[in-house]
Structures are given as C-alpha cells and as structure tokens.
Amino acid sequence: MARLTVRAEELVVRLSWWEKIVARRRNVHLPLEAVESVEADPSWWRALRGSPARGVWIPDVLCLGVREVAGAKDFVALRPRQGGVVSVELRPMSAAFARVAVSDRIPDGTAATVRTAVSRAGGVPPGRSGRETGGGPSGIEGRDGGPGST
C-alpha cells in the first residue's frame, strides 16, 4: 500500500513495487514548500476528481495513477477498503501535480505529521488544522488559518 512520508524537505509518496508497475512511475517526490493544505477524509471517492489519464481504475477496489482535471494533474493511490484518505493540495506551478491523495489506515495522524513537517519547513498550510473550531485531535474540522490561529 502506498504511503505518504516526509523525508528531509520533501513529501514522498512511497509506492510498493507492484504499484510502481501499475502506475507506470516511481515514487512521487514533492517539495514541502509546495504544500498548500492537507486534509484527512474517511471517504475515498471525495479525493477523485477529473478523468483517468494513466493507471488502473477499479472503483471500490483500486484507483492508482494520474488523473487529469482542468489542465492540471492529480496523483492518486487509493485502496478504498484500506481506510481513509490523506489529500494534499499543492500550490500551482510549484509541483508536478495539483493534488496527491493516498489511502491511509490512520489518515488523521498522517495528515497531522505532514502539517507539522510543512510548518517546520517554514510554510504553514492554511486550513484543516483543527485548532480554529475546536476540532479536537483529528485536526480535520477547521478550515481557516493555520496552526496557532484562533
């Protein structure tokens, strides 16, 4: 199963050997400074947008590869039966993709880890920190501001 990890100043989508074959690409490396926002969502289908471009698309089983949406590209690695989804919105023109969405067994924890890494790298992804509305430990309810805002 694909995983989001933070390594130095990069956000990496680590793909298993078979996912690399199916998606026809290697791991996805994105600069942390390109991250605009991070969300955790229990529903896999909300992360899909646009139309399939390259990869495998078996709804409710596996959605893996590149999708095209309004002149941009998203990379998704979704296994609907494996938990929720972490969606990472990226700043325009600063990364190869507009959005990266990856299935995760603990999406709230992974999203919080990515937010922390982004804030330490000098950027604060707006929205979804959970502190603005008293969202609690999941960190997905708030929408405005960044960490520390009230």
Side-chain angles (χ1 to χ4, degrees):
M1 183 160 114
R3 293 179 304 157
L4 275 177
T5 60
V6 176
R7 189 170 184 188
E9 298 296 317
E10 286 186 318
L11 178 64
V12 181
V13 180
R14 295 185 53 129
L15 302 171
S16 66
W17 66 269
W18 68 267
E19 289 170 324
K20 290 176 183 177
I21 292 169
V22 169
R24 292 188 274 159
R25 69 168 302 118
R26 295 178 183 206
N27 294 333
V28 177
H29 295 263
L30 305 162
L32 283 176
E33 58 209 26
V35 175
E36 189 169 296
S37 66
V38 181
E39 329 179 8
D41 196 326
S43 301
W44 66 272
W45 54 269
R46 291 183 197 172
L48 291 178
R49 61 184 187 174
S51 58
R54 190 164 98 182
V56 172
W57 314 100
I58 306 169
D60 204 34
V61 177
L62 176 67
C63 297
L64 178 62
V66 177
R67 296 183 68 89
E68 292 181 351
V69 55
K73 294 181 181 179
D74 291 353
F75 182 80
V76 298
L78 303 176
R79 303 212 32 214
R81 298 177 186 158
Q82 299 293 320
V85 175
V86 177
S87 292
V88 180
E89 294 289 333
L90 301 161
R91 290 187 175 90
M93 303 300 201
S94 61
F97 298 105
R99 177 193 285 172
V100 171
V102 178
S103 290
D104 197 297
R105 289 190 173 106
I106 310 169
D108 295 330
T110 301
T113 299
V114 173
R115 282 188 207 105
T116 299
V118 170
S119 66
R120 286 184 182 161
V124 178
R128 305 292 172 150
S129 73
R131 294 181 184 172
E132 299 77 28
T133 61
S138 71
I140 63 171
E141 288 83 1
R143 283 197 173 260
D144 298 320
S149 65
T150 54

